[in-house]
Amino acid sequence: DTAVSQTPKYLVTQMGNDKSIKCEQNLGHDTMYWYKQDSKKFLKIMFSYNNKELIINETVPNRFSPKSPDKAHLNLHINSLELGDSAVYFCASSHGRGFSNQPQHFGDGTRLSIL
Amino acid sequence: DQQVKQNSPSLSVQEGRISILNCDYTNSMFDYFLWYKKYPAEGPTFLISISSIKDKNEDGRFTVFLNKSAKHLSLHIVPSQPGDSAVYFCAASNYGQNFVFGPGTRLSVLP
């Protein structure tokens, strides 16, 4: 069973469109995260939710809106996609409350390409 | 400002020899450090961690060393195996406040 699964794996779309990426974890973790890996391969935190509550919100355009229907799911919705949004987006989860000293478990990433 | 640095983008090592991956950090408030391993088209996988109250942590072939005064940590893999070929990310945490990944080092273990 996949511990952290995100869909889709690949997403190719045109500038200006709205798209969503879904993430689910079956590890019973309390905290989930979204990361962006840019062209320089840096992994940067975007958001973190603990038991459906937003606890970390880094400087991210408000076109990005995370939604957590329950603690096992954290979806990422992106409005009005721009060329600079092209990246690999990783979902992760961990025990504890945001940036605790608990290892994070990552999904396999969603490669978003904007045409 | 890059708070966690991995100055070697790549490293090649012969199978059976030691691999040493280095990481430097600038924020003295970091108190927990982790290493992750990443294969292509997969997410990072947790490898080993160390608290700032320790200077060494060992798990099988993997050992992490921490030098707080130099703000430097290293990951030693002995002996290196071809399956260890991957990108290794160093990460640093300031409990509840901050979590930063380094840019990664690509390790190639040659048979």
Side-chain angles (χ1 to χ4, degrees), chain B residues 44-89:
Chain B
T45 302
F46 170 71
L47 201 53
I48 192 169
S49 61
I50 188 167
S51 163
S52 61
I53 63 173
K54 295 187 174 181
D55 54 18
K56 177 182 174 182
N57 188 25
E58 191 172 353
D59 183 2
R61 296 186 297 114
F62 303 91
T63 303
V64 56
F65 295 91
L66 175 63
N67 182 334
K68 278 188 66 178
S69 60
K71 296 194 181 70
H72 176 84
L73 64 154
S74 61
L75 174 69
H76 292 210
I77 307 174
V78 182
S80 300
Q81 299 173 354
D84 296 329
S85 297
V87 177
Y88 289 78
F89 290 97

Side-chain angles (χ1 to χ4, degrees), chain A residues 1-114:
Chain A
D1 271 350
T2 305
V4 181
S5 60
Q6 40 182 125
T7 55
K9 195 170 179 68
Y10 299 96
L11 186 52
V12 181
T13 189
Q14 296 211 326
M15 216 164 46
N17 284 350
D18 303 338
K19 290 293 178 186
S20 293
I21 307 172
K22 295 185 176 182
C23 180
E24 175 182 4
Q25 55 95 6
N26 62 7
L27 297 167
H29 288 163
D30 296 316
T31 301
M32 295 185 72
Y33 311 81
W34 276 109
Y35 285 85
K36 178 180 180 180
Q37 186 179 33
D38 59 23
S39 56
K40 294 183 180 177
K41 304 302 181 186
F42 281 93
L43 271 161
K44 293 183 180 175
I45 183 71
M46 299 174 69
F47 303 102
S48 177
Y49 270 73
N50 176 264
N51 283 322
K52 303 195 297 176
E53 176 193 355
L54 178 65
I55 54 171
I56 293 163
N57 185 357
E58 294 296 314
T59 306
V60 175
N62 57 15
R63 297 182 294 104
F64 290 78
S65 53
K67 285 186 172 49
S68 181
D70 55 64
K71 76 172 194 176
H73 295 84
L74 180 61
N75 304 322
L76 183 64
H77 188 77
I78 316 170
N79 288 328
S80 303
L81 281 157
E82 300 178 356
L83 289 175
D85 298 333
S86 294
V88 182
Y89 292 84
F90 287 97
C91 177
S93 70
S94 71
H95 286 299
R97 180 180 171 86
F99 296 161
S100 67
N101 293 341
Q102 297 289 331
Q104 295 173 31
H105 295 251
F106 284 79
D108 286 340
T110 295
R111 182 174 294 277
L112 174 62
S113 299
I114 310 301

